[in-house]
Structures are given as C-alpha cells and as structure tokens.
Amino acid sequence: MCSHQPSCPASDTAAPHVVAAHPEQGWSLLCDGAIVFDDTGELRPDGSAVGPVERLAMAA
C-alpha cells in the first residue's frame, strides 16, 4: 500500500507516514496499511492487533 519511494521497511515502525488522519475519531491510517489509535493501540495490515499496554511495553 505504501507508494512513496523508497517504500517503508516492514520492520521499522517509525518509517510509515500518515495518509489519512481522523483526530476527531481518534485514529490515523498509515501508508503501510496500519491503523493507529490515539490510545497507542494499533491494527496491523496482517490483521493482528496491538493493544495500548502491549505497544508501550514493546517500546521499553
């Protein structure tokens, strides 16, 4: 789904950029197909979900 060059590496979660922001609803669509939520939760393009607590623990 990412169309910018070079494309986003799948292993680098900081590389994708926002292609559609909906702050009034609390979510944004990234160019790699992931949906990130204001509470730090995430739905990944493969259908897996990362909850807010899990994502914060992964960053530590």
Side-chain angles (χ1 to χ4, degrees):
M1 181 168 180
C2 180
S3 62
H4 68 275
Q5 295 298 324
S7 62
C8 300
S11 62
D12 186 356
T13 58
H17 62 274
V18 174
V19 294
H22 295 277
E24 72 283 357
Q25 296 176 355
W27 63 274
S28 296
L29 173 65
L30 302 181
C31 63
D32 67 353
I35 299 172
V36 293
F37 297 94
D38 288 350
D39 70 356
T40 70
E42 180 178 336
L43 290 176
R44 295 184 177 158
D46 65 2
S48 63
V50 178
V53 175
E54 294 175 59
R55 187 166 181 197
L56 291 175
M58 287 172 40

